């Protein structure tokens, strides 16, 4: 790739499995709306902002609610989620991720995070990973969530990197679409068939050799 590429990581489902806690929290919200959130539909919520997730759910449930109720549900979902991750620590880092990031830093790769979560910095601190990141872009930093590339553009600017020299690690279709739009190299992490739009797909970080990016 010429110069040493900048690595941009998603958070949920890539660095830590907090995505299960998101599902549980959204499922509770959905039950209060008499809507049953399936695992399949939950796939469409990955990588998407909290408000956009609720918009999708209301559309699926064919419901209209007031802006006041909308905000109450957003806050309730976040409270449920924060309670579930209160005991998060470095043991919750997905296998292979810490070693990959550590080796990448030693080989002079810049490391950035772009997560739609507004709790991203809090989670990175709970995982003791924050010092590894040269830039952190979260749901508080952008107006448009994935698949809009705004967050990836900001991450590249904060690391003084050209988008073409950035590698995105994502587990969601929305995140990969966003990276593809600005010609970043996209790496799908996981087993979802929706990841096949990425440049390459790996089930886990243990399968990735850093030499591929030299």
């Amino acid at each position: 790739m010429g110069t040493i590429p900048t690595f941009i990581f998603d958070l949920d489902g890539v660095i830590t499995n907090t995505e299960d806690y998101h599902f549980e929290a959204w499922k509770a919200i959905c039950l209060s709306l008499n809507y049953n959130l399936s695992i399949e539909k939950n796939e469409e919520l990955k990588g998407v902002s909290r408000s956009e997730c609720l918009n999708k759910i209301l559309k699926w449930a064919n419901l209209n609610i007031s802006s006041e109720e909308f905000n109450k549900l957003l806050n309730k979902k976040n409270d449920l989620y924060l309670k579930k991750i209160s005991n998060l620590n470095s043991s919750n880092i997905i296998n292979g991720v810490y070693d990959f990031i550590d080796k990448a830093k030693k080989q002079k790769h810049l490391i950035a995070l772009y997560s739609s979560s507004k709790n991203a910095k809090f989670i990175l601190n709970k995982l003791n990973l924050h010092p590894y990141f040269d830039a952190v872009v979260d749901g508080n930093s952008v107006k448009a969530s994935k698949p809009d590339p705004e967050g990836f553009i900001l991450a590249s600017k904060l690391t003084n990197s050209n988008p073409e020299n950035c590698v995105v690690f994502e587990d969601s279709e929305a995140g990969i679409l966003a990276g593809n739009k600005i010609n970043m190299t996209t790496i799908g992490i996981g087993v979802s068939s929706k990841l096949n739009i990425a440049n390459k797909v790996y089930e886990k970080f243990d399968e990735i050799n850093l030499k591929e990016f030299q």
Side-chain angles (χ1 to χ4, degrees), residues 47-212:
V48 180
S49 70
R50 195 183 310 155
S51 58
E52 184 59 28
C53 284
L54 185 52
N55 278 325
K56 284 177 176 286
I57 288 167
L58 292 172
K59 183 178 180 181
W60 297 334
N62 197 27
L63 291 173
N64 290 304
I65 61 175
S66 68
S67 57
E68 182 181 4
E69 183 63 20
F70 188 91
N71 289 325
K72 281 183 180 179
L73 289 175
L74 290 182
N75 290 331
K76 183 179 179 182
K77 186 271 173 181
N78 194 47
D79 288 343
L80 289 169
Y81 175 68
L82 288 175
K83 286 178 182 177
K84 291 178 183 295
I85 65 170
S86 60
N87 295 319
L88 207 67
N89 58 55
S90 57
S91 70
N92 298 107
I93 300 171
I94 294 173
N95 288 340
V97 174
Y98 177 82
D99 287 343
F100 185 87
I101 291 176
D102 187 53
K103 288 176 183 176
K105 286 296 286 186
K106 288 174 180 175
Q107 294 184 21
K108 309 301 181 185
H109 290 273
L110 292 173
I111 306 291
L113 182 101
Y114 171 38
S115 169
S116 298
S117 172
K118 292 186 176 182
N119 299 303
K121 292 178 181 178
F122 171 76
I123 293 171
L124 281 182
N125 282 319
K126 296 281 282 185
L127 298 174
N128 294 318
L129 283 178
H130 203 290
Y132 284 90
F133 286 82
D134 300 287
V136 175
V137 178
D138 62 15
N140 300 296
S141 313
V142 296
K143 293 181 179 178
S145 62
K146 305 166 187 176
D148 190 284
E150 180 188 356
F152 285 128
I153 293 170
L154 180 55
S156 66
K157 287 180 178 178
L158 291 173
T159 54
N160 295 312
S161 307
N162 291 323
E164 296 83 2
N165 197 48
C166 293
V167 179
V168 170
F169 298 94
E170 270 281 355
D171 75 319
S172 72
E173 181 184 24
I176 291 168
L177 282 169
N180 286 344
K181 285 179 181 177
I182 51 175
N183 297 316
M184 290 184 170
T185 298
T186 49
I187 306 295
I189 302 294
V191 296
S192 172
S193 60
K194 293 186 177 182
L195 301 178
N196 60 12
I197 56 172
N199 294 114
K200 286 189 177 181
V201 179
Y202 298 93
E203 186 174 341
K204 51 191 176 182
F205 275 89
D206 291 340
E207 300 172 1
I208 308 175
N209 191 329
L210 267 174
K211 291 181 180 179
E212 294 181 36

